[in-house]
Amino acid sequence: QVRLVESGGGLVQPGGSLRLSCAASGFYFRLYNMAWYRQAPGKEREWVAAITSLSSTTNYQDSVKGRFTISRDNDKSAMYLQMNSLKPEDTGVYYCNGDRMQWPWGQGTLVTVSS
């Protein structure tokens, strides 16, 4: 069965950086476009960034362009999100999934940006 395990979150000050990881199993990872999503307190889950299966073409929500970088390692069935210049509005639980949200959600990893 599909399993998605997010890690790397934590508490950082505004302007700081974090690198999130997503470990995937239970499906042929390299065939699928993947994405990061987040859910801020009191809000619905939203799409943040996406990356295609083989070419690693990327796309980002406007609010994170120039600050976040999505990447993947198909040999490790892993995906990453490098987050720089973090802002308080980036606070939330971050999740990974296919770009169609087709797998069961993992537990997510909490990112808190606060001074």
Side-chain angles (χ1 to χ4, degrees), residues 11-114:
L11 174 64
V12 296
Q13 293 187 333
S17 297
L18 283 173
R19 183 174 173 85
L20 307 184
S21 297
C22 170
S25 61
F27 65 103
Y28 194 46
F29 179 81
R30 64 183 65 213
L31 286 182
Y32 291 90
N33 300 333
M34 297 293 293
W36 284 96
Y37 306 84
R38 69 186 178 191
Q39 186 170 17
K43 290 190 171 184
E44 296 297 312
R45 197 188 334 259
E46 65 176 353
W47 169 79
V48 176
I51 185 166
T52 58
S53 58
L54 295 178
S55 67
S56 293
T57 300
T58 60
N59 197 18
Y60 300 90
Q61 182 198 107
D62 286 345
S63 67
V64 308
K65 285 181 179 176
R67 300 189 298 118
F68 290 12
T69 303
I70 187 172
S71 61
R72 67 191 294 161
D73 186 338
N74 287 336
D75 291 333
K76 296 181 178 179
S77 294
M79 185 173 64
Y80 309 96
L81 186 67
Q82 178 67 45
M83 305 185 296
N84 299 325
S85 301
L86 283 161
K87 303 175 180 180
E89 52 263 44
D90 295 319
T91 293
V93 179
Y94 283 69
Y95 302 88
C96 59
N97 211 318
D99 68 340
R100 296 182 289 115
M101 296 179 270
Q102 61 264 58
W103 315 123
W105 296 105
Q107 295 301 116
T109 186
L110 177 62
V111 172
T112 303
V113 185
S114 177

